[in-house]
């Protein structure tokens, strides 16, 4: 069955959300909450849910509403059968071009010709890139692409910056972990460790990794440190997508994340900071080795 662009987008995001949240069969899917989370109206959400009802992924009960009919771990086939959207293809083309040679300032007409796309699809893609922070809309016309971390020197520098700031944040006097967020991070990393790393996409794994690091930094209650790390993560997003990691290295990463979280849970902050430093150093030596 063919789906329009928005319905296909909601289908993919909904399936990924169910999997990342590890929802079990019988979980109630509230359309208003899903619509709010994905920033759309209820209409495309209802359409996407109806598709999943036909695929026996979701069950509709006139009294209870939409209920998940299967375990989150059984959604791989549905995700694989969804065709790559035009938005995904355009996004990847712009990523590849900008990573290879910074795009600089371009008008919408220039981008439409260069990437052979419509204005409507281009604007949707630029809106997504704008949210990720590597393009700015000019006041007059056109768009300015921001240079990202796309060479070895800049990549190594990004790790040096993280080594200087992230472990120190854990030792700051204002550091105070949120119990609910801590429990959520532990649950997510345990899922990844327990073969979740074999099922999640590169984007899902990257987002989980960023969530781990930025949540830890947020507990230091220093807006400047958090904003700096968030900005750096936006700039290194493209190069991280291109890092080819084995399933084993992803598993090692989740193990290290859990060790850090358990140390924080036990209020052993010096140990947590030491483990975080070693974790970042290992990533640097693997992804950005010194010559």
């Amino acid at each position: 069955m063919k789906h329009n662009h928005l319905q296909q987008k909601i289908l993919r995001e909904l399936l990924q959300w169910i999997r990342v949240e590890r929802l079990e069969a019988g979980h109630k899917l509230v359309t208003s909450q899903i619509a709010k989370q994905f920033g759309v109206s209820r209409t495309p959400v209802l359409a996407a849910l109806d598709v999943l009802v036909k695929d026996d992924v979701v069950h509709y009960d006139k009294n209870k509403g939409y209920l998940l009919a299967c375990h989150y771990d059984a959604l791989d086939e549905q995700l694989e059968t969804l065709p790559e959207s035009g938005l995904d293809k355009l996004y990847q083309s712009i990523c590849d071009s900008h990573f290879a040679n910074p795009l600089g300032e371009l008008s919408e007409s220039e981008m439409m010709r260069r990437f052979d796309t419509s204005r409507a699809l281009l604007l949707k893609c630029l809106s997504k890139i704008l949210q990720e922070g590597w393009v700015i809309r000019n006041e007059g016309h056109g768009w300015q692409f921001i240079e990202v971390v796309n060479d070895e020197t800049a990549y190594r520098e990004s790790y040096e910056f993280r080594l200087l700031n992230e472990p120190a944040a854990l030792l700051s006097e204002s550091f105070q972990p949120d119990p609910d967020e801590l429990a959520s991070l532990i649950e997510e990393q345990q899922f990844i460790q327990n073969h979740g790393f074999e099922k999640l996409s590169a984007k899902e794994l990257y987002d989980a990794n960023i969530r781990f690091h930025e949540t830890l930094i947020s507990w230091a209650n220093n807006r400047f440190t958090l904003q700096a790390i968030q900005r750096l993560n936006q700039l290194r997003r493209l190069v991280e997508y291109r890092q080819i990691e084995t399933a084993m290295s992803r598993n090692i990463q989740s193990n290290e994340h859990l060790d850090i979280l358990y140390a924080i849970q036990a209020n052993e902050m010096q140990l947590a900071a030491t483990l975080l430093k070693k974790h970042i150093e290992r990533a640097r030596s693997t992804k950005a080795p010194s010559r």
Side-chain angles (χ1 to χ4, degrees), residues 87-136:
L87 178 62
D88 291 336
K89 291 179 180 178
L90 177 59
Y91 175 85
Q92 193 59 54
S93 295
I94 295 176
C95 282
D96 292 342
S97 295
H98 187 49
F99 186 81
N101 187 25
L103 292 172
E105 184 174 347
L106 291 173
S107 68
E108 291 172 9
S109 297
E110 289 173 322
M111 285 186 278
M112 288 166 60
R113 289 192 298 270
R114 179 164 181 167
F115 297 107
D116 189 24
T117 187
S118 67
R119 187 181 298 276
L121 188 58
L122 175 65
L123 289 176
K124 289 177 182 176
C125 189
L126 289 172
S127 176
K128 176 179 179 180
I129 297 171
L130 183 66
Q131 291 179 344
E132 293 181 352
W134 49 282
V135 74
I136 298 173

Side-chain angles (χ1 to χ4, degrees), residues 7 13 23-24 30 54-55 59 62 78 98 126 151 157 164 168 204 219 230-231 248 262 270 286:
Q7 188 182 90
E13 290 183 348
L23 302 183
E24 308 254 345
V30 182
K54 293 176 182 177
D55 290 341
H59 170 70
K62 63 179 182 180
Q78 280 74 20
H98 187 49
L126 289 172
D151 62 62
E157 289 174 354
L164 288 170
E204 289 170 326
W219 293 340
Q230 288 175 330
R231 181 61 180 150
M248 179 59 70
Y262 292 148
Q270 188 64 57
T286 302

